[in-house]
């Protein structure tokens, strides 16, 4: 009986989890985006599809979440010349010219918890308040 359970468990791990894992692409990037001298960790979970929906989560150096928002589009670019990722300047701009990047997040509105591709885009700007990014 024990062997049957082990075989069943391995079958589930082999067939089910790879399917679940390939539905989400996770990109990671680290840099000092708020100019505090400490590295922040940016994680973009991309759910795929033509809508390019995902969630951008930014962690401070000690692990606290300083931003978590739904996104549409890719906050990172792969530089074709250097073959490394860089921040997408459409997402990260110093709008008010204070030396600290603001985060611009846009997406089409949801309807019945589903992306509505015919809806207009909604944009929010997030500004650093000294502790986390807040909508301004």
């Amino acid at each position: 009986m024990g062997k049957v359970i082990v075989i069943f468990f391995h079958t589930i791990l082999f067939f089910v989890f790879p399917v679940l894992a390939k539905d989400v692409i996770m990109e990671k990037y680290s840099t000092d985006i708020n100019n505090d001298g400490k590295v922040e960790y940016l994680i973009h979970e991309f759910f795929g599809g033509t809508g390019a929906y995902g969630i951008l989560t930014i962690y401070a150096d000690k692990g606290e979440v300083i931003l978590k928002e739904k996104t549409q589009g890719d906050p990172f670019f792969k530089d074709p010349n250097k073959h490394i990722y860089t921040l997408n300047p459409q997402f990260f701009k110093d709008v008010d010219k204070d030396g600290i990047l603001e985060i611009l997040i846009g997406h089409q509105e949801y309807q019945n918890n589903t992306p509505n591709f015919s809806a207009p885009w909604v944009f929010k700007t997030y500004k650093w308040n000294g502790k986390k990014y807040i909508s301004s």
Side-chain angles (χ1 to χ4, degrees), residues 50-86:
T50 57
Y53 279 93
I55 297 175
L56 175 63
T57 307
I58 302 176
Y59 298 89
D61 68 323
K62 294 185 180 177
E64 62 270 9
V65 175
I66 58 175
L67 177 85
K68 184 171 187 171
E69 285 297 322
K70 292 179 183 177
T71 64
Q72 190 171 358
D74 197 347
F76 314 127
F77 276 149
K78 187 163 188 179
D79 185 318
N81 298 321
K82 297 179 182 176
H83 304 288
I84 59 171
Y85 281 99
T86 60

Side-chain angles (χ1 to χ4, degrees), residues 72-121:
Q72 190 171 358
D74 197 347
F76 314 127
F77 276 149
K78 187 163 188 179
D79 185 318
N81 298 321
K82 297 179 182 176
H83 304 288
I84 59 171
Y85 281 99
T86 60
L87 293 177
N88 181 339
Q90 293 178 341
F91 272 75
F92 301 92
K93 287 184 181 179
D94 186 3
V95 176
D96 59 5
K97 308 289 186 218
D98 66 352
I100 300 173
L101 294 174
E102 281 74 41
I103 303 170
L104 302 132
I105 295 181
H107 61 84
Q108 289 173 300
E109 293 181 343
Y110 281 74
Q111 187 175 36
N112 299 326
N113 214 18
T114 305
N116 181 1
F117 299 115
S118 62
W121 279 73

